[in-house]
Amino acid sequence: VLKLFKLLHRTRQEVFKNDTKALEAARQKINEEFRNNRDEKSEEKINELLKLASDVEVILRTSVIQAIHTDSDKIVLVPRKDLLQDNTPYLDKPTKK
């Protein structure tokens, strides 16, 4: 449980780097969720909560991207290196090798 708690906080720091509001909001939410369930005794429920926390960490790490408002009508996206993937073009009729 502690390992997953620390992993979520490390992921939060990486995903929301340089965004103090998002860093603080994510810190509070992570701490609140773990605090609310700290007295849980059911092994089944604990495993379910750990699976949920693990899924949240994966989604944060692989799907969340920072956006910065530069003007009233412009947003700059700040992708992390682990989000960038090679683009594979779509082909209606795949070629045979």
Side-chain angles (χ1 to χ4, degrees):
V1 173
L2 186 57
K3 185 177 180 179
L4 186 55
F5 180 78
K6 288 178 179 182
L7 179 61
L8 276 166
H9 277 290
R10 274 188 243 114
T11 301
R12 165 191 70 92
Q13 289 173 337
E14 183 180 325
V15 169
F16 301 116
K17 189 185 304 181
N18 301 323
D19 186 349
T20 55
K21 287 182 182 179
L23 280 167
E24 182 61 22
R27 184 187 70 78
Q28 287 178 359
K29 186 63 175 174
I30 292 167
N31 291 346
E32 175 187 330
E33 290 299 323
F34 274 81
R35 194 177 304 114
N36 288 343
N37 295 298
R38 92 176 135 203
D39 296 328
E40 185 61 51
K41 302 285 187 233
S42 166
E43 187 174 335
E44 184 179 310
K45 179 71 173 171
I46 291 171
N47 288 335
E48 182 181 313
L49 290 167
L50 290 174
K51 173 75 170 111
L52 176 65
S54 179
D55 291 347
V56 167
E57 191 277 330
V58 169
I59 289 171
L60 277 174
R61 186 171 25 85
T62 60
S63 302
V64 175
I65 187 167
Q66 279 185 303
I68 301 170
H69 290 275
T70 56
D71 285 331
S72 61
D73 62 342
K74 291 185 181 179
I75 296 176
V76 175
L77 298 179
V78 185
R80 294 179 313 284
K81 287 183 181 180
D82 54 337
L83 286 177
L84 301 176
Q85 300 175 354
D86 289 335
N87 190 12
T88 305
Y90 174 77
L91 298 174
D92 281 332
K93 296 178 183 176
T95 57
K96 293 183 180 180
K97 291 184 179 182

